[in-house]
Amino acid sequence: MTTLRIEPTGGPLGAFVTGIDLTRPLDAATASALRDAAVTHKVVFLPGQDISLDDLERTTDDLGGRTDTPFVTPLPGRPMVVRVLKEADAKIGFGEAWHTDLSYLPEPPAFTCLWSSEIPPKGGDTMWSNQAAAYAALNDETKAEIDGLYAIHSAGRPYGANGYYAQVKDQLSMGIEPSAEADKEFRHPVVAKHPDTGEPVLFVNQTYTIRIDGYEKERSDRLLKRLFLHAVQEQFRYRVQWQPHMLTIWDNRATQHFAINDYQGHRREMFRTSVKGAPLLAV
Ligand code: SIN
């Protein structure tokens, strides 16, 4: 087994992991240690990984198995790999709003892997927010209100036939496939029990969570607005400056993230895979 060197960022989440070479297949113990590190630190950054897309797919399998990304055109011949691309002349990026990946699915991915192929000379950072810390910081009254509630998630706003990406499709560098299918709804607990650690995590995000199940609109909007703002406050966040060929793996059940689009005139290219998840249960 390889011994991982794990250096926490000192922030509310994140650790840099070295001492591992992802161009080689991982033994089961090392794969499990890497997965554990991603659960413990919520996001792990592995700099200096000169990996191929085959290596990225194999690492994704080692972490629990690949799953696809609906409404985003995958790479030819690699149905589970997405290219997150913004060309130098494009204005609109991908993931420029707080979200938890694919939270509109019955089984949102457990982890996301994002590998930097080409980064701008400055900018293009990504931020994550720790949703276990966000839950823990809520006052008792709010906890009592939201424990046991369910929220409805849908991909309709970004990916619906007339959704955001359908409006800006021509200004994007990557293939998005808006569809009426995106309007499907699915319900998750507002406070989910993390499947690996059992810790309560706040599980609502402004991109995909559309209402509180059973609340009338005004009450639902008021509560969600408050939770969305609370969930991504500075004290729960870590922001990484990408290095070329860095693989980042995040625990999608316990985080939200935001890709900062502040590098106009430069190209940014990343490759992304998702690791299979499981249904989220209430605490
Ligand atoms: C994403 O939301 O998956 C993209 C994140 C990024 O490009 O930094």
Side-chain angles (χ1 to χ4, degrees), residues 9 38 103 124 131 133 174 179 185 191 221 225 254 262:
T9 60
S103 77
Q131 297 306 284
M174 50 189 282
S179 160
E185 297 184 349
V191 185
D221 287 352
K225 188 172 172 198
D262 61 351

Side-chain angles (χ1 to χ4, degrees), residues 73-270:
T73 310
L75 287 188
R78 297 188 193 268
M80 310 286 177
V81 182
V82 162
R83 173 153 58 173
V84 176
L85 174 67
K86 183 167 168 267
E87 294 287 9
D89 60 355
K91 293 278 176 286
I92 304 224
F94 181 73
E96 325 174 11
W98 284 105
H99 64 287
T100 295
D101 287 333
L102 283 50
S103 77
Y104 53 84
L105 294 178
E107 299 184 359
F111 301 95
T112 302
C113 304
L114 190 65
W115 181 75
S116 49
S117 165
E118 185 176 343
I119 58 167
K122 235 170 62 177
D125 298 354
T126 306
M127 298 185 288
W128 286 265
S129 182
N130 179 336
Q131 297 306 284
Y135 175 77
L138 287 168
N139 62 38
D140 289 346
E141 199 184 326
T142 307
K143 284 182 182 165
E145 178 179 4
I146 66 173
D147 289 350
L149 288 181
Y150 282 76
I152 308 297
H153 295 237
S154 157
R157 275 198 303 240
Y159 295 111
N162 297 308
Y164 170 73
Y165 284 121
Q167 315 291 328
V168 299
K169 215 169 165 215
D170 297 345
Q171 302 167 61
L172 278 170
S173 312
M174 50 189 282
I176 301 284
E177 298 163 9
S179 160
E181 277 286 294
D183 294 322
K184 272 194 188 152
E185 297 184 349
F186 195 81
R187 164 185 122 121
H188 294 294
V190 170
V191 185
K193 180 175 168 172
H194 190 282
D196 294 325
T197 63
E199 67 184 344
V201 291
L202 189 56
F203 199 76
V204 291
N205 67 86
Q206 64 175 54
T207 299
Y208 299 126
T209 311
I210 55 173
R211 65 179 184 277
I212 300 288
D213 200 14
Y215 273 26
E216 49 88 18
K217 183 172 171 12
E218 205 180 305
R219 188 176 179 205
S220 168
D221 287 352
R222 214 170 34 237
L223 176 59
L224 282 178
K225 188 172 172 198
R226 192 151 63 82
L227 294 177
F228 293 158
L229 288 172
H230 171 82
V232 299
Q233 289 177 88
E234 192 81 35
Q235 69 263 34
F236 311 131
R237 290 192 211 162
Y238 183 76
R239 172 174 173 162
V240 84
Q241 200 175 355
W242 287 89
Q243 305 171 21
H245 299 181
M246 182 163 81
L247 179 69
T248 293
I249 303 166
W250 61 89
D251 185 336
N252 190 53
R253 297 137 326 162
T255 56
Q256 296 193 41
H257 59 283
F258 185 119
I260 301 173
N261 180 6
D262 61 351
Y263 51 98
Q264 302 305 345
H266 299 284
R267 189 174 191 270
R268 182 179 185 269
E269 180 186 55
M270 325 285 270

Side-chain angles (χ1 to χ4, degrees), residues 47-58:
Q49 298 290 339
D50 285 321
I51 58 174
S52 65
L53 293 177
D54 284 345
D55 298 329
L56 176 62
E57 288 179 326
R58 194 186 54 250

